[in-house]
Amino acid sequence: QKEVEQNSGPLSVPEGAIASLNCTYSDRGSQSFFWYRQYSGKSPELIMFIYSNGDKEDGRFTAQLNKASQYVSLLIRDSQPSDSATYLCAVILNSGNTPLVFGKGTRLSVIA
Amino acid sequence: DAMVIQNPRYQVTQFGKPVTLSCSQTLNHNVMYWYQQKSSQAPKLLFHYYDKDFNNEADTPDNFQSRRPNTSFCFLDIRSPGLGDAAMYLCATSPTSGDTQYFGPGTRLTVL
């Protein structure tokens, strides 16, 4: 079983809609969760991190963590064409003292 | 501004000709990472340094080596590049292990 899984997409949403990106992870004891945005040909850019169950909001972005169900999601409200990118979910596994484990990413396309 | 810098941004080499990629950081982070990323794939961790403590991933080919002469600089040496080594090489840093990682802009390597 892969450690961090994401639907590769593409996920297409109309401009102004809510985009919902999901990620599941296999290690129940995982502690820290990150969302990175990566434009084509560019390096990953940190969007948000979340450590505790529940929601964390930052502007148009909301991260949601459910440790019991082992999933973390990213909601993008009022999606813009500039949000079109690949979104990488990354997790620090149970040991806590390890590098990030990345999912393969979900490609989001916001249609104007 | 504190940042992670990679040079060069684009590198073209010939099959079998050694190449060195450079990363520097002004964040004074203890940990530095090298990732390889191919098209539509997740970043793949090659190595990381916690201070001067070198950690090699089990599946990193022997063709890849790394040096960290001081806190600020880290190098990736590819001794005999093959066509399969063409990729984006990403350097990242974090304050400590198990912490948020910050990426440089990447070096796009082409092997002819």
Side-chain angles (χ1 to χ4, degrees):
Chain A
Q1 182 182 3
K2 294 182 181 177
E3 292 175 309
V4 179
E5 294 206 51
Q6 298 180 253
N7 187 326
S8 62
L11 172 67
S12 294
V13 300
E15 184 175 1
I18 296 175
S20 177
L21 305 162
N22 299 311
C23 172
T24 59
Y25 57 94
S26 59
D27 185 343
R28 181 170 289 278
S30 296
Q31 301 181 8
S32 306
F33 307 86
F34 303 82
W35 283 100
Y36 286 83
R37 177 176 62 198
Q38 187 172 26
Y39 292 113
S40 180
K42 304 295 186 182
S43 64
E45 171 193 9
L46 181 68
I47 297 294
M48 293 190 71
F49 58 86
I50 185 167
Y51 302 143
S52 303
N53 272 330
D55 295 0
K56 178 181 179 183
E57 187 174 318
D58 183 1
R60 295 188 295 113
F61 299 95
T62 299
Q64 299 176 318
L65 175 60
N66 184 323
K67 289 187 177 181
S69 301
Q70 294 176 235
Y71 82 79
V72 56
S73 61
L74 179 69
L75 301 179
I76 307 175
R77 288 182 300 282
D78 188 23
S79 295
Q80 302 297 310
S82 59
D83 295 325
S84 298
T86 295
Y87 290 80
L88 298 165
C89 172
V91 176
I92 292 177
L93 301 180
N94 187 33
S95 64
N97 198 32
T98 57
L100 295 175
V101 177
F102 283 90
K104 288 188 174 182
T106 298
R107 189 155 53 95
L108 172 67
S109 179
V110 180
I111 311 299
Chain B
D1 288 340
M3 55 177 31
V4 182
I5 302 163
Q6 290 188 245
N7 285 303
R9 295 291 308 280
Y10 301 91
Q11 176 73 58
V12 179
T13 191
Q14 292 180 331
F15 183 94
K17 186 174 181 180
V19 66
T20 295
L21 309 183
S22 167
C23 178
S24 64
Q25 55 129 342
T26 61
L27 298 163
N28 203 32
H29 284 171
N30 283 324
V31 193
M32 295 186 78
Y33 308 81
W34 279 106
Y35 289 87
Q36 179 193 64
Q37 189 178 28
K38 297 184 178 181
S39 182
S40 301
Q41 295 185 19
K44 177 180 180 298
L45 183 64
L46 298 174
F47 340 83
H48 72 281
Y49 279 90
Y50 189 102
D51 197 11
K52 293 187 177 181
D53 183 21
F54 176 70
N55 297 272
N56 190 32
E57 294 301 297
D59 58 353
T60 298
D62 292 340
N63 198 26
F64 291 84
Q65 296 181 336
S66 184
R67 297 169 282 136
R68 189 180 185 186
N70 54 52
T71 300
S72 300
F73 285 87
C74 196
F75 300 97
L76 172 63
D77 301 309
I78 308 176
R79 289 191 296 182
S80 182
L83 298 179
D85 297 327
M88 173 78 88
Y89 289 87
L90 297 164
C91 175
T93 73
S94 64
T96 187
S97 287
D99 206 338
T100 305
Q101 292 182 18
Y102 299 91
F103 285 84
T107 295
R108 170 73 64 183
L109 177 68
T110 299
V111 181
L112 301 177

